[in-house]
Amino acid sequence: MDVVIIGNARCFHTMDWYREVAGIIKPRKVIFLTDLIESESHEKLVKESDIIADLYNIDWLLLKNQSNFGNIWRNIIKLLIIPVQIWKVRRFQEKNPHVIFHAITIYYMFLCWLAGIKFIGTPQGSEILERPDFSKWYKYFAIKSLHAASYITVDSVSMQKKIKEISGEDAAVIQNGIDVAEITDTDNGVTVRNKIISIRGMYPLYRLEEIIKSRNNSNDKPPISFFYPYWDDVYVGYMKSIFSEGDLDIGRLAKKDMYTLMKSSYLAISIPLSDSSPRSVYEAIFCGCCVAVTPNLFIDSLPDCMKSRLYIVDLQDLNWFEKAVVKAKVITSIPYIPSEEALNVFDQARSMKLVCDLYYDPQKWN
């Protein structure tokens, strides 16, 4: 049986998942059924070798840049075309009756539920950890989508617990993984780590102004480089207004360029209001950085070799940034060598093999 991934083709995580699975289950095919490929200033990730199927593409209806209004507009468009996309999913299933569907994010799980097909579901962090607490309607439809899934996978214990709490459903914790092979192959040509980087989205959720505030309270006030996969134009403008000389607004980076920058950095900072299982934190660790993080449940499940690269931040301490800098210089004086446990859990080649063995077995779907 072939596998159909239903998701957002602009998402790095989903595309990595798709390509890893495609390499593992050959000669079976993996088809990507999507409505988003290139819009809102996102980099086009789809390649000619990818097998893409149309879920009614909405790129042409969206705004040019990312913003809160753009997010609202996209959601309105998606609501309006749900009937068309339900028809598309059903039609695809009728033409391809012997496939395994895997929906990545709640929205695509919701579509599969409405289309009445069997599917595996993989929600993402804030879809479970935050949104059900702010909208009763969202919570209702999220629970319906979770009930409809034949299997559910998540990337953190916190998501697993929240799904059990709100829906009673069991979810398996399997890391999305990171591209260890490309991290290993990336040579930045520099042996000195001399940069501090912010590695999360340019949204208020990630508390980037707190980073600036604590840096400004430090003695040396070193510059910070900000790069991010997603952003809000208004928040970017605000952040630039409080930058100091030397701070860099890098924006989005291709994966290899991101790894090159991480390998030139001694401190990476990730202090969001909430977190599930932050891939960029794991990538920074595997690139040898020290990562400043706030206390979170995901830390407890990390192998010791990864925990040892973290500095736990107390945001009530006005000097947390300066203390993180001192700690990072000590930590990065020792090269990071991942343990076998870390590779088994976080190497996407190994974690996706586990997904294929557990959920893409045709015997489970016959």
Side-chain angles (χ1 to χ4, degrees):
M1 298 174 73
D2 294 334
V3 172
V4 178
I5 304 290
I6 306 180
N8 174 5
R10 306 182 316 186
C11 173
F12 285 102
H13 304 334
T14 308
M15 290 306 296
D16 278 352
W17 186 302
Y18 162 74
R19 294 199 179 107
E20 281 294 333
V21 170
I24 291 169
I25 69 169
K26 287 180 178 179
R28 291 190 286 158
K29 289 191 300 183
V30 183
I31 303 161
F32 201 110
L33 186 59
T34 187
D35 56 348
L36 290 164
I37 294 176
E38 185 181 18
S39 54
E40 298 177 309
S41 69
H42 285 266
E43 175 189 352
K44 185 177 181 180
L45 303 177
V46 169
K47 301 176 182 178
E48 287 187 10
S49 57
D50 297 328
I51 306 174
I52 305 297
D54 182 39
L55 186 60
Y56 188 80
N57 186 283
I58 63 170
D59 287 328
W60 65 284
L61 294 168
L62 304 181
L63 304 183
K64 289 184 178 180
N65 294 309
Q66 297 179 47
S67 64
N68 282 333
F69 177 74
N71 292 337
I72 294 169
W73 177 250
R74 186 190 330 108
N75 291 336
I76 291 171
I77 294 297
K78 280 181 172 283
L79 283 173
L80 291 174
I81 65 159
I82 277 178
V84 177
Q85 293 192 327
I86 293 170
W87 178 82
K88 284 272 193 179
V89 172
R90 286 176 177 164
R91 187 74 172 149
F92 187 93
Q93 200 270 339
E94 289 169 1
K95 291 182 177 180
N96 304 273
H98 303 297
V99 296
I100 298 167
F101 287 90
H102 190 156
I104 299 181
T105 76
I106 285 289
Y107 176 77
Y108 298 102
M109 293 170 63
F110 176 65
L111 278 182
C112 290
W113 165 54
L114 292 178
I117 64 171
K118 291 183 177 181
F119 66 96
I120 304 162
T122 299
Q124 293 183 339
S126 62
E127 296 181 326
I128 297 298
L129 297 177
E130 291 183 30
R131 294 180 198 171
D133 297 332
F134 293 101
S135 169
K136 290 183 179 179
W137 280 108
Y138 177 89
K139 183 177 181 179
Y140 172 80
F141 288 114
I143 290 172
K144 286 288 188 182
S145 302
L146 292 166
H147 283 323
S150 299
Y151 305 99
I152 304 168
T153 75
V154 294
D155 62 8
S156 71
V157 173
S158 57
M159 287 184 70
Q160 181 188 51
K161 290 181 176 179
K162 188 66 177 286
I163 285 174
K164 188 68 173 179
E165 174 190 325
I166 66 173
S167 72
E169 297 291 339
D170 294 319
V173 179
I174 300 177
Q175 288 294 333
N176 294 339
I178 60 176
D179 195 342
V180 173
E182 185 151 0
I183 288 174
T184 303
D185 290 342
T186 300
D187 181 6
N188 67 347
V190 178
T191 56
V192 177
R193 294 180 178 270
N194 58 5
K195 295 181 176 63
I196 299 173
I197 52 177
S198 169
I199 59 176
R200 305 303 295 272
M202 188 67 88
Y203 280 99
L205 169 68
Y206 298 104
R207 296 194 285 206
L208 305 188
E209 66 272 24
E210 293 291 336
I211 300 174
I212 295 288
K213 186 188 301 182
S214 188
R215 186 279 307 276
N216 291 347
N217 197 53
S218 65
N219 289 322
D220 294 337
K221 300 178 176 56
I224 304 170
S225 298
F226 293 80
F227 68 91
Y228 39 88
Y230 307 109
W231 64 91
D232 171 71
D233 281 344
V234 174
Y235 192 66
V236 170
Y238 165 68
M239 285 301 299
K240 286 184 176 181
S241 73
I242 62 172
F243 274 8
S244 295
E245 184 177 354
D247 290 339
L248 293 178
D249 174 35
I250 296 174
R252 171 174 288 184
L253 288 173
K255 189 190 293 186
K256 205 168 191 68
D257 293 331
M258 179 181 72
Y259 294 156
T260 297
L261 180 57
M262 286 178 168
K263 289 191 172 187
S264 302
S265 305
Y266 63 93
L267 176 62
I269 304 175
S270 171
I271 56 168
L273 287 166
S274 66
D275 233 346
S276 171
S277 183
R279 190 183 193 196
S280 56
V281 169
Y282 308 145
E283 288 172 320
I285 290 172
F286 271 74
C287 285
C289 295
C290 167
V291 187
V293 296
T294 43
N296 197 287
L297 194 59
F298 80 83
I299 296 171
D300 297 336
S301 60
L302 293 180
D304 289 341
C305 70
M306 296 177 72
K307 286 182 185 175
S308 68
R309 310 298 288 195
L310 300 178
Y311 175 73
I312 310 300
V313 166
D314 176 8
L315 293 182
Q316 300 303 312
D317 182 353
L318 295 178
N319 297 314
W320 69 259
F321 180 91
E322 189 161 26
K323 292 177 181 178
V325 166
V326 172
K327 185 68 173 179
K329 289 179 179 179
V330 174
I331 288 175
T332 55
S333 67
I334 304 169
Y336 176 67
I337 300 174
S339 65
E340 195 65 19
E341 180 186 4
L343 291 169
N344 283 336
V345 176
F346 291 98
D347 184 348
Q348 68 183 20
R350 302 190 191 190
S351 59
M352 288 301 103
K353 178 67 165 59
L354 182 60
V355 170
C356 293
D357 290 344
L358 291 176
Y359 302 110
Y360 298 162
D361 179 357
Q363 298 301 319
K364 291 180 179 290
W365 299 89
N366 287 329

